[in-house]
């Protein structure tokens, strides 16, 4: 990558796809998961705050910043469920990684694809500690843009090889089943949530509607299941009946944010939950017995995006899957920014507004 002060490496959507395919999706997920896990082990180093969110009737736009004291990262991301009806992504994102010492960006990248990968990797990291031992079957309720990533992450890290798919839109399940052919799964498309959950060791909920919903009811959750709740990620949006929460050992990323946005917004503010970093660090146990119901109330947190940006930068050098972006002003004299502008006059050609 260039050492010019004005240049920042930029990863476009096209280059992100080429990079992921060159590395291999499952290897990318494993390595990204390892980076996330390593960063959660040094949780105390990070600046932490709930994400900055601007809500509207149509959706939400969010900024997710954090720093470990040496490197700073942030992500811009939206959530607009109605976008699917106009051919747009419900979630779109980009991110920046910067040097804390001088404030200069070190990386600018698309993060729509990268966020899908990091969300799935985060789910699988949690499942390493919370899922029943020997889990092989996962139900995925909600077969939209995140479903295939979840399936592949759980295959790569947990060994899931059997999928039970359900979506209120049969076309979504058909799409998911088609995309996952050739990846070594046994796949059954199910007509209902109840059918999908039957016989599953892990249940992933990943729906998009921005409302309080009951995707999973209490009577469907038997002993020993691990629930990976991905879809509830903003105030007023949930997927699980609150009785499920009361029966479960609940693990979250960052409690102050999850109490605002996650499934636990349905519970009293003092309901006990465990932050995942404590499980990863060995401070508290994950799954304690085979009958325990575990729930990862996942909303996404800035440290995970930081990890994704850090991992991306680590694999980027020497690949050519980026462009040099002339992003920063670099005058010969740092105090003479206006002089730089004047010297550009001759290169810009005649002023069309001049008489």
């Amino acid at each position: 990558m260039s050492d010019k002060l004005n240049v920042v490496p930029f990863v476009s959507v096209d280059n992100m796809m080429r990079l992921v395919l060159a590395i291999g999706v499952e290897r990318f997920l494993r390595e990204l998961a390892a980076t996330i896990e390593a960063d959660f082990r040094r949780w105390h180093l990070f600046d932490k705050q709930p994400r900055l969110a601007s809500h509207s009737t149509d959706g939400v736009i969010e900024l997710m910043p954090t720093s470990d004291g040496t490197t700073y990262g942030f992500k811009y991301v939206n959530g607009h469920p109605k976008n699917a009806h106009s051919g747009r992504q419900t979630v779109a994102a980009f991110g920046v990684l910067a040097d804390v010492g001088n404030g200069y960006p070190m990386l600018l990248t698309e993060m729509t694809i990268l966020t899908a990968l990091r969300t799935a990797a985060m789910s699988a990291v949690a499942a390493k500690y919370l899922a029943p031992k020997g889990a092989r079957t996962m139900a995925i309720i909600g077969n939209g843009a995140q479903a295939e990533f979840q399936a592949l992450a759980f295959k790569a890290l947990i060994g899931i090889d059997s999928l039970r798919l359900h979506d209120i839109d049969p076309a979504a399940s058909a799409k998911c089943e088609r995309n996952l052919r050739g990846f070594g799964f046994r796949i059954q498309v199910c007509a209902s949530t109840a059918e999908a959950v039957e016989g599953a060791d892990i249940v992933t909920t990943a729906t998009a509607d921005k409302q309080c919903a009951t995707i999973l009811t209490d009577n469907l959750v038997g002993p020993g299941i691990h629930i990976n709740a991905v879809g509830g990620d903003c105030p007023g949006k949930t997927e699980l009946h609150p009785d499920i929460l009361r029966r479960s050992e609940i693990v979250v990323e960052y409690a102050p944010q999850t109490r605002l946005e996650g499934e636990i917004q349905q519970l009293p503010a003092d309901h006990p939950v465990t932050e995942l970093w404590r499980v990863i660090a060995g401070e508290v146990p994950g799954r304690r017995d085979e009958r325990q119901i575990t729930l990862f109330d996942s909303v996404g947190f800035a440290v995970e995006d930081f990890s994704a940006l850090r991992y991306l930068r680590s694999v980027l050098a020497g690949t050519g899957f980026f462009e040099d972006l002339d992003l920063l002003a670099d005058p010969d004299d740092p105090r003479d920014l206006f002089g730089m502008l004047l010297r550009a006059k001759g290169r810009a050609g005649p002023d069309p507004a001049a008489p």
Side-chain angles (χ1 to χ4, degrees):
M1 290 186 269
S2 175
D3 58 359
K4 296 179 180 178
L5 295 181
N6 63 304
V7 169
V8 176
F10 167 63
V11 182
S12 65
V13 172
D14 183 61
N15 273 325
M16 181 65 76
M17 293 189 294
R18 293 168 64 201
L19 177 66
V20 172
L21 292 174
I23 292 174
V25 178
E26 291 184 49
R27 177 186 162 193
F28 193 103
L29 285 163
R30 281 193 299 270
E31 294 177 353
L32 174 53
T35 305
I36 292 171
E37 195 166 352
D39 283 341
F40 269 58
R41 291 184 187 278
R42 57 193 192 105
W43 185 258
H44 63 285
L45 294 178
F46 287 93
D47 296 335
K48 292 175 282 291
Q49 61 179 320
R51 59 183 137 215
L52 307 174
S54 176
H55 293 277
S56 71
T57 56
D58 295 313
V60 63
I61 295 174
E62 300 168 335
L63 292 178
M64 301 174 66
T66 192
S67 169
D68 66 356
T70 300
T71 307
Y72 172 90
F74 82 84
K75 182 174 76 175
Y76 167 101
V77 61
N78 78 305
H80 285 70
K82 290 188 290 187
N83 277 0
H85 303 306
S86 59
R88 294 178 173 88
Q89 288 289 307
T90 60
V91 174
F94 68 87
V96 171
L97 199 65
D99 187 326
V100 168
N102 56 41
Y104 269 43
M106 300 184 294
L107 176 67
L108 172 64
T109 179
E110 84 80 37
M111 287 193 75
T112 306
I113 295 169
L114 189 57
T115 293
L117 289 157
R118 80 92 167 117
T119 299
M122 183 73 254
S123 293
V125 167
K128 279 180 58 177
Y129 297 90
L130 301 175
K133 186 178 297 185
R136 290 293 179 268
T137 301
M138 180 164 72
I140 305 179
I141 314 302
N143 302 152
Q146 179 61 205
E148 295 92 336
F149 294 95
Q150 290 283 328
L152 289 169
F154 276 76
K155 177 176 182 284
L157 271 75
I158 308 300
I160 290 296
D161 57 17
S162 178
L163 300 174
R164 301 175 66 82
L165 308 178
H166 175 67
D167 195 290
I168 57 173
D169 179 5
S173 297
K175 174 271 306 179
C176 187
E177 190 274 338
R178 182 173 63 249
N179 286 343
L180 289 173
R181 289 174 193 164
F183 283 97
F185 293 107
R186 297 187 304 277
I187 302 174
Q188 181 175 345
V189 175
C190 300
S192 66
T193 297
E195 182 185 350
V197 170
E198 186 177 356
D201 306 303
I202 299 171
V203 177
T204 289
T205 58
T207 60
D209 282 347
K210 192 175 184 293
Q211 62 182 344
C212 289
T214 304
I215 306 303
L216 196 62
T217 54
D218 186 48
N219 63 303
L220 298 179
V221 178
I225 281 182
H226 171 60
I227 303 169
N228 175 41
V230 177
D233 58 3
C234 67
K237 180 185 178 188
T238 58
E239 297 180 315
L240 309 184
H241 192 283
D243 285 348
I244 297 173
L245 310 183
R246 298 184 185 100
R247 296 169 56 208
S248 301
E249 182 71 25
I250 302 172
V251 176
V252 302
E253 292 134 317
Y254 178 58
Q257 178 173 296
T258 310
R259 291 194 190 278
L260 296 173
E261 302 177 349
E263 297 297 329
I264 59 173
Q265 66 185 275
Q266 304 178 78
L267 298 179
D270 60 351
H271 188 89
V273 299
T274 300
E275 291 188 334
L276 181 61
W277 73 269
R278 298 186 64 207
V279 179
I280 292 174
E283 291 189 5
V284 295
R287 172 169 288 273
R288 293 190 301 272
D289 61 68
E290 63 182 17
R291 294 186 60 80
Q292 184 183 29
I293 299 170
T294 54
L295 165 62
F296 181 46
D297 190 359
S298 171
V299 297
F301 187 59
V303 171
E304 299 152 36
D305 298 307
F306 179 97
S307 302
L309 289 163
R310 188 167 75 84
Y311 170 69
L312 176 62
R313 188 168 185 265
S314 75
V315 298
L316 204 56
T319 65
F321 296 135
F322 63 92
E323 304 164 49
D324 286 338
L325 189 64
D326 184 11
L327 185 65
L328 306 173
D330 183 29
D332 296 332
D333 180 349
R335 299 167 298 178
D336 192 18
L337 187 61
F338 189 72
M340 178 183 177
L341 180 63
L342 290 178
R343 286 188 290 276
K345 184 176 181 180
R347 302 196 304 270
D351 184 349

